[in-house]
Amino acid sequence: MSETATALLSVKGLEAWYGESHILHGVDFDVREGEVLTLLGRNGAGKTTTLKSIMGIVSRRRGSVRLEGNELIARSSDQIARAGIAFCPEERGIFASLNVEENLLLPPQVRPGGLSLDQIYDLFPNLKERLGSSQGTKLSGGEQQMLAIGRILRTGARLLLLDEPTEGLAPVIIKQIGQTIRTLKAQGFTILLVEQNFRFAATVADRYCVMEHGKIVERFANSELDANMGKLHEYLGV
Amino acid sequence: MFEIFGVPSQALFGQLLLGLINGSFYALLSLGLAVIFGMLNIINFAHGAQYMLGAFTAFFLLQYLGWNYWVSLLVVPIIVGIVGIIIERLFLQWLYKLDHLYGLLLTFGLALVIEGVFRNYFGSSGLPYRVPDQLAGGRNLGFMYLPNYRGWVIAFSLVVCLATWFLIERTKLGAYLRAATENPTLVRAFGINVPRMITLTYGFGVGLAGLAGVMAAPIYNVSPQMGSNLIIIVFAVVVIGGMGSIMGAIVTGFALGLIEGLTKVFFPEASNTAIFVIMAIVLIIRPAGLFGRTA
């Protein structure tokens, strides 16, 4: 079976602009059902813009974004979310005017099959303990990240876009997030992950796409990682 | 009859009642303004004109269709709310990414146009609207005489204000509104149609102004100036309560009505300026308002 035939998400020739700045210059990749695909690249390579363009948050964009064969490029971000893609932003997006429970219950269910609250509490036991907290933004960075991931698991979307979920977190929390991503993959979720923390990405990814200057410049499977270490060091500057 | 601080109880409580009635309208109108500012970031200067539109719509419904006060109480907020939705779709939706000043100028211009059209056709003297039969008369409470209709206005305003607070602070829809006020882009990326929510919120806020207009019609004359006379005080209420704060608008609206009433009893010369003096003091001590969140 070809890559495209099994792709849940297919991105072709994706271009995006912020005002007059041309950020993405024809991004192409597929995400297969049930895999974790990681976008790697330096700051400013276009990783976050790629996620935002898929999600419809960047309004000036062109190319093709297909989910299960359905074209999404002309749709608004609320329609894209309802098509079955959930987005966890880099800055976590916890709302200060909502308490922890309201933050958790905020995204509506767009499809059947989302995780129940008990399943989410099993993944993130800390969240259950902090439900009574007054403000979501009063949680620690790690708890806010768990809340940000936990709330999109209720929606029923099977494709998760995670933008740098480990940024600024302590190693013990990063380990917990990694375990969560592996559990979600085992439960059948498909994940498109943006990461700068290459060591973390290596523990969860099935495949990698490396971005530079708004394009995919390299792609390889996790099994080919060792063979590509030299190139990776060059691209990422690590 | 007894005296309090040398003032006959009938006079004191009479003024307090007047203050509470004014406070009811301050609260209802500032609540609508707070909802609109909180969600749309628009300083809706047309709010007074929309309140006047509510009173006139109730007058027209009675005059031409024979629909009484109770029907108007249900229908007018919907009609005026729809007018608000049309205004939002035609004009306001293009201003959200611009400075506040553009929204303020547009709504100020709209207020002048709406008021001017009504003054042209109906003059400035005002039109009478009867108190509904069920609420005619009043009752002697011993220490004061309470007209039934005015008691109803206070009670119903309080119920509407608290229901609105509950809707915004305690329901899922309210959580969407509060979240969209903070980060509309992310809320939209969760699958919520934020533009539609903004339109409906504006319609709701304007509908509240229309409702206040219906309630005011039997108390004040239905006149084109009735909104512009009130709107400056209502803006002071919103500023004192905290721009965008729902509870701030409600508490400050009723409290300032009472303070205004008390000022009329003890220092009548200052009754027109008391609210603005309070506003100045609050702005010095707490620039974000009594219930506002500091950035």
Side-chain angles (χ1 to χ4, degrees):
Chain A
M1 203 183 287
S2 73
E3 254 191 31
T4 317
T6 59
L8 178 67
L9 180 78
S10 177
V11 177
K12 295 222 180 307
L14 183 62
E15 295 186 61
W17 289 259
Y18 286 127
E20 292 305 309
S21 304
H22 196 170
I23 307 296
L24 299 185
H25 300 266
V27 174
D28 297 284
F29 64 86
D30 293 329
V31 187
R32 298 172 206 156
E33 192 152 4
E35 78 168 347
V36 177
L37 176 74
T38 300
L39 294 181
L40 296 169
R42 293 186 200 220
N43 264 341
K47 307 181 298 293
T48 294
T49 305
T50 301
L51 291 197
K52 287 184 172 176
S53 300
I54 292 169
M55 209 57 227
I57 292 172
V58 177
S59 54
R60 197 173 161 208
R61 64 197 192 282
R62 73 175 178 215
S64 171
V65 175
R66 287 178 177 273
L67 180 73
E68 294 170 323
N70 298 314
E71 184 56 71
L72 303 179
I73 196 72
R75 296 200 199 173
S76 60
S77 58
D78 55 304
Q79 290 170 331
I80 291 170
R82 290 193 174 275
I85 305 180
F87 176 54
C88 179
E90 185 179 6
E91 65 282 4
R92 295 170 193 134
I94 302 300
F95 297 96
S97 59
L98 272 56
N99 63 31
V100 174
E101 191 173 11
E102 285 173 327
N103 266 290
L104 184 60
L105 300 178
L106 187 74
Q109 287 179 297
V110 296
R111 284 182 168 195
L115 297 195
S116 67
L117 282 177
D118 284 337
Q119 287 172 306
I120 293 170
Y121 297 145
D122 285 344
L123 279 172
F124 305 114
N126 291 26
L127 276 188
K128 194 171 186 180
E129 292 162 20
R130 301 305 301 271
L131 273 184
S133 299
S134 55
Q135 251 179 299
T137 46
K138 293 268 166 73
L139 298 179
S140 69
E143 287 169 334
Q144 285 191 34
Q145 189 62 63
M146 292 171 195
L147 180 56
I149 296 175
R151 69 182 170 190
I152 60 172
L153 300 178
R154 285 184 58 252
T155 62
R158 303 305 288 175
L159 173 60
L160 311 180
L161 312 187
L162 306 183
D163 195 355
E164 304 216 25
T166 64
E167 194 189 20
L169 300 182
V172 64
I173 307 290
I174 292 178
K175 215 170 161 184
Q176 201 178 341
I177 301 281
Q179 183 55 48
T180 302
I181 291 176
R182 285 189 290 275
T183 307
L184 292 175
K185 187 187 156 194
Q187 290 182 5
F189 282 94
T190 305
I191 296 170
L192 175 56
L193 177 70
V194 160
E195 256 305 337
Q196 288 214 53
N197 182 344
F198 170 69
R199 284 182 183 80
F200 167 76
T203 65
V204 294
D206 294 303
R207 289 191 302 132
Y208 303 91
C209 288
V210 184
M211 290 192 74
E212 203 170 62
H213 304 306
K215 279 183 186 168
I216 304 284
V217 290
E218 200 68 52
R219 54 191 88 210
F220 52 88
N222 200 30
S223 56
E224 301 163 328
L225 183 60
D226 289 341
N228 286 280
M229 280 308 253
K231 278 190 209 164
L232 259 186
H233 280 230
E234 200 177 301
Y235 286 125
L236 302 179
V238 291
Chain B
M1 193 163 57
F2 57 94
E3 292 189 351
I4 301 171
F5 298 122
V7 180
S9 65
Q10 287 280 7
L12 179 64
F13 287 110
Q15 283 301 336
L16 281 179
L17 176 68
L18 276 178
L20 260 184
I21 289 166
N22 285 340
S24 304
F25 291 114
Y26 297 161
L28 266 182
L29 289 170
S30 58
L31 181 63
L33 278 179
V35 169
I36 290 169
F37 182 78
M39 181 78 197
L40 286 78
N41 264 340
I42 291 280
I43 301 167
N44 186 34
F45 240 93
H47 216 64
Q50 287 153 348
Y51 158 77
M52 176 268 284
L53 207 57
F56 265 98
T57 308
F59 176 81
F60 296 144
L61 290 179
L62 182 66
Q63 190 80 0
Y64 300 112
L65 297 176
W67 291 8
N68 66 23
Y69 173 85
W70 303 106
V71 179
S72 286
L73 212 53
L74 285 175
V75 173
V76 170
I78 296 170
I79 295 173
V80 178
I82 290 170
V83 172
I85 286 172
I86 293 168
I87 289 172
E88 196 275 341
R89 285 289 84 196
L90 283 180
F91 305 114
L92 294 177
Q93 65 156 324
W94 312 109
L95 304 180
Y96 297 139
K97 288 179 182 165
L98 304 177
D99 190 270
H100 290 320
L101 196 60
Y102 289 87
L104 189 150
L105 286 173
L106 179 94
T107 53
F108 185 61
L110 277 174
L112 291 180
V113 170
I114 295 169
E115 202 181 299
V117 167
F118 276 80
R119 199 179 316 122
N120 187 47
Y121 286 101
F122 300 99
S124 303
S125 55
L127 303 160
Y129 189 95
R130 280 185 56 208
V131 170
D133 295 339
Q134 297 86 342
L135 295 173
R139 59 197 67 213
N140 193 345
L141 301 178
F143 56 93
M144 66 176 287
Y145 181 78
L146 176 68
N148 289 337
Y149 184 76
R150 294 176 184 229
W152 152 257
V153 166
I154 295 167
F156 188 59
S157 302
L158 199 58
V159 168
V160 171
C161 287
L162 292 177
T164 305
W165 173 84
F166 184 84
L167 176 75
I168 291 172
E169 298 292 337
R170 292 286 181 270
T171 65
K172 188 77 185 256
L173 177 65
Y176 288 158
L177 286 170
R178 281 176 286 139
T181 302
E182 269 186 63
N183 189 344
T185 306
L186 183 58
V187 172
R188 199 167 185 198
F190 286 157
I192 297 160
N193 190 335
V194 174
R196 186 191 297 161
M197 203 162 71
I198 287 174
T199 304
L200 293 176
T201 302
Y202 187 74
F204 177 75
V206 172
L208 278 178
L211 179 70
V214 182
M215 290 164 70
I219 297 180
Y220 311 112
N221 271 343
V222 178
S223 86
Q225 292 89 4
M226 64 190 287
S228 55
N229 294 340
L230 206 58
I231 196 71
I232 299 299
I233 297 176
V234 173
F235 269 106
V237 171
V238 174
V239 171
I240 294 169
M243 294 294 281
S245 164
I246 304 302
M247 191 45 93
I250 298 169
V251 173
T252 313
F254 280 102
L256 288 184
L258 278 176
I259 289 170
E260 195 183 40
L262 283 174
T263 315
K264 277 181 182 155
V265 177
F266 293 108
F267 191 20
E269 298 85 347
S271 61
N272 287 333
T273 51
I275 288 178
F276 300 102
V277 172
I278 293 170
M279 182 178 81
I281 295 169
V282 168
L283 283 177
I284 291 168
I285 299 169
R286 273 185 71 94
L290 295 175
F291 293 78
R293 284 198 186 96
T294 44

